[in-house]
Amino acid sequence: MENKKQNFARFGVATKGLVYFLIGGLTALGAFGLGGEKSGSSNALDFISQQVFGKILLIITAIGLIGYVFWRWYQAFADPKGIGTDFKAIVKRVSYFISGAFYGLLAFSAVKQIIGNSSGGGKSSFLIKLLDYKIVVIIIGLALLGKSIYEFYQAYSGKFREEVDEAGLGHKAKKGIINAGKIGFTARGIVVGIMSFLMFRAAFSASGEKVDKTQAFDFLQNEFGSLVMGIIAVGLIAYGVFMFIKAKYSSLSVD
């Protein structure tokens, strides 16, 4: 029987899936002229807040994001799967911590909306202050480049299939989820890779431009057209679906 910590972690993983589902869905609708708009994480929070019982939904989302922070930091510090303390393991555990920190900032943005402050302001202003420092921009760009490469590795090495195997699903369902995972990780790798490029461009041009997923979609649309942007956005929907499946079926070891 699962404990409350495991359920909290699963809720967190599912909430991350929801955020990506909304980012991809809103952007895809915009790309195909169906009423959406190019979106990042803050846009997903705005969309949630505008629904019926928006504040209640935001509270639930904020709790879920904190659950994801809990899971990532538990992976970073408790090392539930015993990946160890060699260089490769430390890099992976640091990446878990950074991932948790990012979603912690997103949770903070959700809380600010709940209590009535400007949407997404906390996270955006914090990042803008950081981006005043060229070396910080370069470091973030390198981190994003590494993340992009890792997303492609996840997609085409089949590494993520281990989590699918744990689900014990039938052949057809398993095949569908694997395809969703491959598409999702590929799309995420593309978006994060573009964000890395934009970070480096901001650093060396001293433009001070804000860089997030929305700017990555702007780049895709400007350079390759709305159709390509829409296809990548659909890939992020697939990533969200994969995260839902991971939340339900994967083994999340939490003592």
Side-chain angles (χ1 to χ4, degrees):
M1 184 175 179
E2 293 192 345
N3 59 38
K4 291 179 181 178
K5 292 179 182 178
Q6 286 173 314
N7 288 332
F8 191 38
R10 289 189 188 283
F11 183 45
V13 173
T15 302
K16 179 184 177 182
L18 173 65
V19 170
Y20 268 91
F21 190 88
L22 291 176
I23 290 171
L26 291 170
T27 302
L29 289 172
F32 301 130
L34 299 174
E37 61 177 352
K38 292 185 285 291
S39 297
S41 301
S42 62
N43 301 90
L45 294 182
D46 290 341
F47 178 82
I48 292 169
S49 70
Q50 292 161 10
Q51 306 311 301
V52 179
F53 304 114
K55 278 204 171 183
I56 294 173
L57 294 174
L58 265 183
I59 290 169
I60 294 170
T61 301
I63 293 169
L65 291 169
I66 293 168
Y68 189 74
V69 175
F70 162 74
W71 169 235
R72 279 311 204 189
W73 285 1
Y74 188 86
Q75 287 179 299
F77 294 110
D79 190 19
K81 293 197 173 181
I83 62 174
T85 56
D86 60 15
F87 178 76
K88 183 178 177 182
I90 291 297
V91 169
K92 197 168 187 179
R93 291 169 71 174
V94 168
S95 74
Y96 292 152
F97 178 84
I98 293 171
S99 176
F102 173 82
Y103 284 94
L105 288 171
L106 189 59
F108 178 69
S109 292
V111 171
K112 289 196 75 174
Q113 287 201 49
I114 292 164
I115 62 178
N117 289 354
S118 59
S119 71
K123 182 165 73 74
S124 297
S125 61
F126 175 76
L127 290 178
I128 287 169
K129 286 177 184 177
L130 278 181
L131 296 182
D132 287 338
Y133 300 95
K134 184 173 181 179
I135 186 64
V136 173
V137 179
I138 293 171
I139 290 170
I140 293 173
L142 288 170
L144 288 171
L145 178 60
K147 182 66 175 174
S148 175
I149 292 169
Y150 183 69
E151 294 298 315
F152 286 116
Y153 169 74
Q154 285 275 81
Y156 297 102
S157 69
K159 187 73 175 173
F160 73 93
R161 297 187 185 199
E162 296 171 6
E163 296 173 325
V164 179
D165 291 335
E166 292 173 352
L169 300 171
H171 177 70
K172 282 189 176 180
K174 184 177 176 180
K175 185 177 179 181
I177 293 167
I178 287 172
N179 287 335
K182 183 176 285 188
I183 293 168
F185 281 111
T186 300
R188 196 168 181 234
I190 291 169
V191 172
V192 175
I194 292 171
M195 290 172 65
S196 172
F197 166 75
L198 295 177
M199 277 288 183
F200 289 128
R201 188 173 73 178
F204 293 108
S205 67
S207 65
E209 64 179 311
K210 178 186 172 186
V211 176
D212 60 14
K213 292 182 182 68
T214 306
Q215 279 64 49
F217 284 127
D218 279 335
F219 180 87
L220 277 169
Q221 186 176 42
N222 292 337
E223 297 296 327
F224 303 103
S226 294
L227 178 61
V228 171
M229 182 185 76
I231 291 170
I232 301 302
V234 170
L236 293 186
I237 295 174
Y239 181 79
V241 171
F242 177 77
M243 294 303 289
F244 292 146
I245 300 301
K246 177 177 178 177
K248 183 172 178 60
Y249 292 109
S250 290
S251 174
L252 302 181
S253 302
V254 182
D255 295 331

